[in-house]
């Protein structure tokens, strides 16, 4: 046992994952608590499960594999009982001749390997994978109705979409769902096809190893699912796919764009379930949460949420709607698209071809005796004017607008030729926001902040400051980040701010006044989340663009 521990420790030392001091401490800790060395190092937060498994893989000379990328054959997985796989964190991968390759999280457990061989009745070849990744793979595999897209051979316009292509497209969609991707990019190049997922706001190429010869068939398959014209390759097209991936129902918006190497496809994955929205889940601090809940009790006025595309504005609006939803209120929305579906809320989809725009849709809503109106976006003067009139005639209006921050929203409305006195009378608050990636909880470690980081955070240089970062693991695709949260600034329009709007004061003047009344900028909110270990300084500066 001592020799085994020394070998694992030596591998971790050689890889620079631990120090000699940490090894000695872990050996003592392992002996005291009757643990393996690797378990001790994990409990002491010196390494992650992935670090240990990679070291064991090297020690035992067996492959380390990330099973999250794999398409599983039901006949192969079915060789082992579901309960056995989940209990022991095992998943069969493939069967060649009479040899079954399985991924296990504990390759040192020889009794488990014997049990697998006995149950499957096959020779066993072992690879190593993390227990968490195996659990997720099993959860999605056994979820009812993993994917309900068509799975038969199809022929359209003379092009055959065969079963391998169908399985591949299914796998791309399923992997995107499992990784919580918001978008899928399928991009043909000169000699290869690239698949990228946007995860937590960042595009990352995925390793699907797709033969270039399959490019045309893959694009045709997606276009068939989205009810597009697969014969039309020279003009952009838009389509939609509705399907279930795992346990989630998706509305997938599909867009094609002709490029010099073929049609590029982007698929936006919209989870139609509203279970993920709610004010408490947005990352608001107690003060911000109290301000917003107070604003939502106002009988009339406009609450605007602002920020660039992809900053989470719609999710904030939906969370407000969830807070407001009740039998006593007539709530009507006009959206493009309807991303979440609510009971007891009347939701209208913008449809320019049918004459339903934000402006004329909003006019029609006002004739429906509404209490609360949600407008997906204020894009033009006409929509802005109707929203202002709705607010001034006793309605609570929620909407979004594209500006960089809360204060510049006022200038944007003035540029739309909305009179300053109307803005001052109708706007109750402007919420500016961005989304920042959160430090991965699986590979999170402490580190001492550098002097330049302490300077930005306003922390004394002569004092030590511990911050958190992710080292990178299979759970976060080696990025160090998993999931996102919001950073916010809320400009409430009180009597003093109202007066400054009427007097056409500049955004900087308004913000300086607001700061003296307790206003906190998005960047300051982000710094607080850095100090709490929720995100990193680099991430906050990336999305707030310091100095802008």
């Amino acid at each position: 046992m001592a020799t085994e521990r020394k070998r694992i420790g030596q591998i971790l030392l050689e890889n620079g994952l631990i120090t000699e001091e940490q090894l000695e401490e872990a050996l003592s800790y392992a002996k005291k608590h009757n643990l393996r060395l690797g378990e001790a190092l994990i409990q002491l937060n010196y390494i992650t499960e992935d670090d240990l498994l990679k070291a064991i893989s090297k020690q035992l000379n067996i492959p380390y594999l990330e099973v999250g990328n794999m398409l599983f054959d039901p006949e192969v997985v079915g060789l082992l009982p579901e309960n056995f796989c989940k209990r022991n964190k095992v998943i069969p991968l493939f069967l060649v001749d009479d040899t079954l390759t399985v991924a296990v999280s504990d390759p040192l457990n020889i009794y488990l390997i014997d049990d697998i061989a006995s149950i499957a009745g096959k020779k066993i070849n072992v690879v190593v994978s993390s227990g968490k990744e195996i659990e997720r793979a099993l959860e999605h595999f056994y979820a009812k109705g993993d994917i309900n897209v068509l799975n038969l051979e199809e022929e359209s316009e003379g092009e055959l979409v065969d079963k391998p292509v169908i399985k591949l497209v299914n796998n791309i969609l399923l992997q995107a769902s499992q990784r919580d991707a918001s978008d899928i990019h399928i991009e043909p190049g000169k000699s290869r096809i690239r698949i990228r997922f946007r995860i937590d706001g960042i595009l990352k190429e995925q390793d699907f190893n797709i033969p270039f010869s399959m490019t045309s068939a893959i694009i045709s398959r997606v276009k068939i699912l989205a009810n597009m014209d697969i014969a039309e390759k020279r003009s952009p097209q838009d389509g939609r796919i509705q399907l279930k991936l795992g346990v989630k129902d998706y509305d997938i918006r599909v867009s094609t764009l002709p490029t010099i190497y073929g049609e590029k496809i982007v698929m936006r994955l919209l989870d139609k379930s509203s279970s993920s929205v709610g004010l408490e889940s947005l990352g608001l601090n107690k003060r911000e949460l109290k301000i917003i809940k107070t604003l939502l009790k106002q009988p009339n006025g406009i609450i605007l949420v602002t920020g660039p595309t992809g900053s989470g504005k719609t999710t904030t609006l939906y969370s407000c709607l969830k807070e407001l939803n009740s039998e006593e209120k007539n709530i009507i929305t006009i959206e493009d698209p309807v991303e979440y579906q609510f009971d007891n809320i009347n939701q209208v989809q913008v449809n320019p071809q049918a004459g339903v725009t934000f402006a004329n849709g909003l006019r029609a809503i006002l004739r429906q005796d509404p209490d609360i109106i949600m407008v997906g976006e204020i894009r033009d003067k006409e929509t802005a004017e109707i929203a202002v009139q709705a607010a001034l005639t006793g309605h609570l209006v929620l909407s979004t607008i594209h500006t960089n921050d809360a204060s510049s929203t006022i200038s944007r409305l003035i540029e739309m030729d909305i009179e300053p006195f109307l803005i001052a009378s109708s706007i109750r608050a402007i919420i500016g926001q961005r989304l920042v990636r959160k430090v991965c909880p699986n590979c999170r470690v402490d580190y001492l902040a550098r002097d330049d980081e302490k300077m930005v955070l306003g922390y004394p240089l002569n004092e030590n400051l511990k911050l958190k970062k992710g080292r990178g693991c299979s759970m976060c695709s080696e990025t160090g980040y998993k999931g996102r949260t919001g950073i916010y600034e809320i400009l409430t329009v009180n009597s003093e701010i109202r007066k400054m709007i009427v007097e056409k004061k500049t955004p900087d003047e308004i913000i300086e006044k607001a700061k003296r009344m307790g206003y906190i900028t998005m960047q300051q909110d982000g710094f607080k989340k850095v100090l709490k270990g929720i995100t990193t300084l680099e991430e906050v500066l990336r999305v707030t663009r310091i100095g802008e």
Side-chain angles (χ1 to χ4, degrees), residues 38-108:
E39 294 170 334
L41 286 164
I42 290 173
Q43 288 190 16
L44 292 168
N45 291 321
Y46 291 151
I47 63 171
T48 65
E49 181 191 8
D50 277 353
D51 295 332
L52 175 61
L53 290 175
K54 288 174 182 177
I56 292 174
S57 167
K58 186 174 182 180
Q59 180 196 36
L60 300 180
N61 195 29
I62 57 178
Y64 176 87
L65 190 66
E66 294 185 357
V67 298
N69 285 327
M70 303 204 60
L71 177 62
F72 299 103
D73 186 336
E75 293 182 5
V76 174
V77 178
L79 291 171
L80 295 177
E82 177 182 350
N83 290 339
F84 176 85
C85 291
K86 289 182 175 179
R87 184 172 65 252
N88 294 288
K89 298 180 183 177
V90 173
I91 189 165
L93 302 179
F94 38 82
L95 181 65
V96 179
D97 296 328
D98 200 41
T99 300
L100 176 66
T101 298
V102 296
V104 301
S105 61
D106 186 5
L108 298 174

Side-chain angles (χ1 to χ4, degrees), residues 11 37 61 68 111 116 174 199 209 214 230 245 258 260 266 284 334 344 376 382 397 424 431 435 441 467-468 471:
I11 292 170
L37 173 61
N61 195 29
Y111 301 108
I116 295 171
L174 191 56
I199 302 172
N209 296 319
M214 295 177 70
I230 68 170
L245 296 171
I260 59 172
V266 174
L284 296 159
I334 181 160
N344 304 320
E382 188 178 11
V397 180
I431 303 169
L435 291 176
L467 301 177
K468 292 189 182 296
R471 296 171 59 177

Side-chain angles (χ1 to χ4, degrees), residues 52-313:
L52 175 61
L53 290 175
K54 288 174 182 177
I56 292 174
S57 167
K58 186 174 182 180
Q59 180 196 36
L60 300 180
N61 195 29
I62 57 178
Y64 176 87
L65 190 66
E66 294 185 357
V67 298
N69 285 327
M70 303 204 60
L71 177 62
F72 299 103
D73 186 336
E75 293 182 5
V76 174
V77 178
L79 291 171
L80 295 177
E82 177 182 350
N83 290 339
F84 176 85
C85 291
K86 289 182 175 179
R87 184 172 65 252
N88 294 288
K89 298 180 183 177
V90 173
I91 189 165
L93 302 179
F94 38 82
L95 181 65
V96 179
D97 296 328
D98 200 41
T99 300
L100 176 66
T101 298
V102 296
V104 301
S105 61
D106 186 5
L108 298 174
N109 187 342
I110 58 175
Y111 301 108
L112 174 61
I113 310 304
D114 288 343
D115 287 343
I116 295 171
S118 176
I119 295 170
K122 308 289 182 184
K123 296 176 184 176
I124 301 301
N125 181 44
V126 172
V127 300
V128 187
S129 188
S130 79
K132 291 180 180 178
E133 210 169 89
I134 291 174
E135 285 176 340
R136 285 200 303 273
L138 288 168
E139 177 185 346
H140 286 287
F141 179 83
Y142 284 111
K144 291 182 179 179
D146 258 353
I147 184 166
N148 70 349
V149 297
L150 302 174
N151 59 7
L152 302 175
E153 290 186 1
E154 299 183 29
E155 191 170 356
S156 182
E157 302 294 334
E159 293 193 47
L160 180 67
V161 180
D162 58 22
K163 287 183 178 178
V165 172
I166 290 169
K167 286 185 177 181
L168 177 57
V169 173
N170 286 4
N171 192 33
I172 291 170
L173 290 166
L174 191 56
Q175 295 299 329
S177 172
Q178 291 174 354
R179 298 182 186 192
D180 295 322
S182 61
D183 300 85
I184 302 169
H185 290 239
I186 301 176
E187 302 167 316
K190 185 177 182 180
S191 59
R192 62 187 287 262
I193 181 170
R194 180 170 67 168
I195 308 293
R196 292 192 291 173
F197 292 168
R198 187 176 295 279
I199 302 172
D200 295 333
I202 305 295
L203 276 172
K204 184 173 182 181
E205 185 168 355
Q206 306 299 306
D207 185 17
F208 282 100
N209 296 319
I210 300 171
F212 184 65
S213 59
M214 295 177 70
T215 301
S216 178
I218 290 169
I219 292 170
S220 293
R221 174 59 179 166
V222 174
K223 291 171 75 175
I224 287 170
L225 292 172
N227 293 315
M228 294 177 173
D229 181 359
I230 68 170
E232 177 56 72
K233 304 178 188 293
R234 296 173 298 177
S235 299
Q237 294 187 63
D238 294 305
R240 227 163 231 193
I241 306 171
Q242 292 193 353
L243 50 78
K244 179 187 282 289
L245 296 171
V247 296
K248 297 179 180 179
D249 289 305
Y250 283 94
D251 184 3
I252 301 177
R253 287 185 288 164
V254 184
S255 171
T256 67
L257 180 70
T259 72
I260 59 172
Y261 296 120
E263 292 175 282
K264 170 181 165 64
I265 288 182
V266 174
M267 291 184 274
R268 168 66 58 88
L269 278 66
L270 303 174
D271 180 2
K272 293 193 291 185
S273 166
S274 62
S275 60
S276 60
V277 299
L279 290 175
E280 283 74 12
S281 66
L282 297 179
L284 296 159
N285 61 41
K286 289 182 180 179
R287 175 180 176 273
E288 294 164 339
L289 188 60
K290 183 178 179 181
I291 291 173
I292 291 179
K293 287 191 173 185
T294 300
L295 288 167
L296 294 177
K297 292 177 182 177
Q298 298 293 317
N300 54 58
I302 300 176
I303 300 173
L304 286 175
V305 183
T306 187
T309 300
S311 60
K313 301 186 298 296

Side-chain angles (χ1 to χ4, degrees), residues 341-511:
Q341 296 179 4
F342 290 91
D343 293 330
N344 304 320
I345 291 180
N346 305 283
Q347 296 174 268
V348 179
Q349 170 72 51
V350 166
N351 186 355
Q353 293 178 341
V356 182
T357 64
F358 279 118
N360 59 29
L362 184 51
R363 282 197 193 92
I365 288 171
L366 288 172
R367 295 192 291 269
Q368 291 285 313
D369 184 33
D371 297 297
I372 298 164
I373 302 168
M374 192 268 266
V375 182
E377 183 183 346
I378 292 178
R379 297 176 178 173
D380 51 44
K381 176 185 177 181
E382 188 178 11
T383 307
E385 285 178 336
I386 301 169
V388 167
Q389 290 303 317
L392 294 175
T393 54
H395 304 89
L396 181 61
V397 180
L398 310 178
S399 190
T400 71
I401 191 167
H402 280 278
T403 59
N404 284 331
D405 50 38
S407 60
S408 59
T409 299
I410 296 165
S411 300
R412 176 75 181 115
L413 290 170
I414 292 174
E415 289 169 4
M416 289 182 178
D417 291 330
I418 307 300
E419 291 292 341
F421 76 91
L422 292 175
I423 297 171
S425 301
S426 61
I427 302 292
R428 294 287 176 264
I430 304 166
I431 303 169
Q433 69 177 75
R434 297 289 190 278
L435 291 176
V436 293
R437 293 179 292 171
K438 296 191 292 185
V439 176
C440 176
N442 187 55
C443 60
R444 181 171 53 196
V445 294
D446 292 333
Y447 76 98
L448 288 176
R450 304 185 307 270
D451 283 351
D452 61 318
E453 292 176 311
K454 286 188 279 189
M455 287 178 64
V456 173
L457 291 169
Y459 201 85
L461 296 182
N462 60 346
E463 296 182 20
N464 286 336
L465 172 63
K466 280 189 177 182
L467 301 177
K468 292 189 182 296
K469 64 180 179 179
R471 296 171 59 177
C473 64
S474 62
M475 180 181 287
C476 62
S477 301
E478 306 299 332
T479 63
Y481 297 98
K482 184 67 176 177
R484 289 190 291 178
T485 190
I487 56 175
Y488 301 90
E489 58 187 21
I490 304 175
L491 178 62
T492 53
V493 181
N494 56 23
S495 58
E496 295 180 66
I497 299 298
R498 193 172 294 119
K499 181 180 177 183
M500 295 184 78
I501 294 173
V502 172
E503 293 174 351
K504 297 184 179 180
K505 299 294 186 182
T506 67
D508 287 343
E509 290 175 314
I510 291 173
I511 288 304

